[in-house]
Amino acid sequence: MDIMTGVGLVAGVIVIAVMMLLGGSFELFVSEHAAIIIFGGSIAATMIRFPLGVMLHGLPLGARFAFTMSRLSAHDLVDELARIAEIARKQGPVGLEKVETDEPFLAKGIRYIADGYDMEFIRDNLERDRDNFLMHLDEGSKIYRAIGDCAPAFGMIGTLIGMVQMFANMTDPSKLGPFMATALLATLYGALVANLFCLPIADKLHGKLLDEETNRTLIIDGILMIRDSKSPTLVREMLLAYLPEKHRHEEGEEAHA
């Protein structure tokens, strides 16, 4: 569970809610017309940008990964692959059949080695799996960013519609208040949807895409070295390149110790 995503969203909602309550009540900030123009318009524009299949796949995938974290960090993966290399050296590929791991992508690579597949097959399948996953995660990030880009624009459109309706009914003072409220709330809704939800989630997904790309490439290299019967020490030394410089030295010192 990625706690920071949930904490950030809850904190943002609390801040906005407190500011609303300090100035009156929530009812003042409810407008069906503003909600329709923001959510309906943003979704419609996003549907024009992306195929339906991409949206149906990208939205839930993005929402899920925005609130979850990789089971193993790059640091943990180096240790895990070195451990697996040690088992493979002592027991052979058959010994990997009983190895358990919390990382599904790593588990798939271990299964390929245990089943005796050649290196080309393992490389092609793991790289294809990695690329497809990263593509779908990137689609999720782009969809949330597209909604975040559209929402403020449709907030401005809602504001303009409200202003036109207000000026068209200047002779009826009873209609000026509702039209002005719709105009202002459309801008508010658009800013909130974009800056509190969609754009932060899009940035979070982009960061996780980079992490997943690093981790899965690390796993592929480690699995291929294990399949090539490389020693655990060599596997660890080669994979240290994926770690930040500081962690790399710490790992190196532990390995030599």
Side-chain angles (χ1 to χ4, degrees), residues 164-236:
V164 169
Q165 292 173 332
M166 184 184 70
F167 287 123
N169 291 273
M170 291 293 288
T171 57
D172 187 355
S174 64
K175 294 183 179 181
L176 299 182
F179 288 142
M180 176 60 78
T182 299
L184 296 178
L185 289 175
T187 301
L188 175 63
Y189 286 5
L192 285 177
V193 169
N195 296 289
L196 183 57
F197 296 100
C198 293
L199 293 180
I201 288 177
D203 288 338
K204 175 62 71 73
L205 291 176
H206 179 69
K208 292 194 173 184
L209 184 149
L210 298 178
D211 291 340
E212 286 291 336
E213 182 178 16
T214 298
N215 288 353
R216 295 193 177 218
T217 303
L218 185 154
I219 289 173
I220 293 173
D221 287 351
I223 288 295
L224 292 176
M225 284 189 285
I226 294 171
R227 176 63 181 82
D228 199 30
S229 302
K230 301 296 184 183
S231 70
T233 301
L234 179 60
V235 171
R236 180 184 292 275

Side-chain angles (χ1 to χ4, degrees), residues 7 18 26 30 32 36 40 44 82 101 118 125-127 152 157 161-162 181 183 194 211 229 246 255:
V7 170
V18 169
F26 285 121
V30 176
E32 296 83 359
I36 291 172
T101 179
D118 60 66
N125 278 271
L126 291 182
E127 288 182 349
I157 292 172
I161 292 174
D211 291 340
S229 302
K246 177 181 177 181

Side-chain angles (χ1 to χ4, degrees), residues 115-131:
D115 290 344
Y117 291 111
D118 60 66
M119 289 188 64
E120 288 302 317
F121 175 89
I122 295 174
R123 178 186 289 107
D124 291 345
N125 278 271
L126 291 182
E127 288 182 349
R128 187 180 303 112
D129 191 312
R130 176 199 60 191
D131 294 342

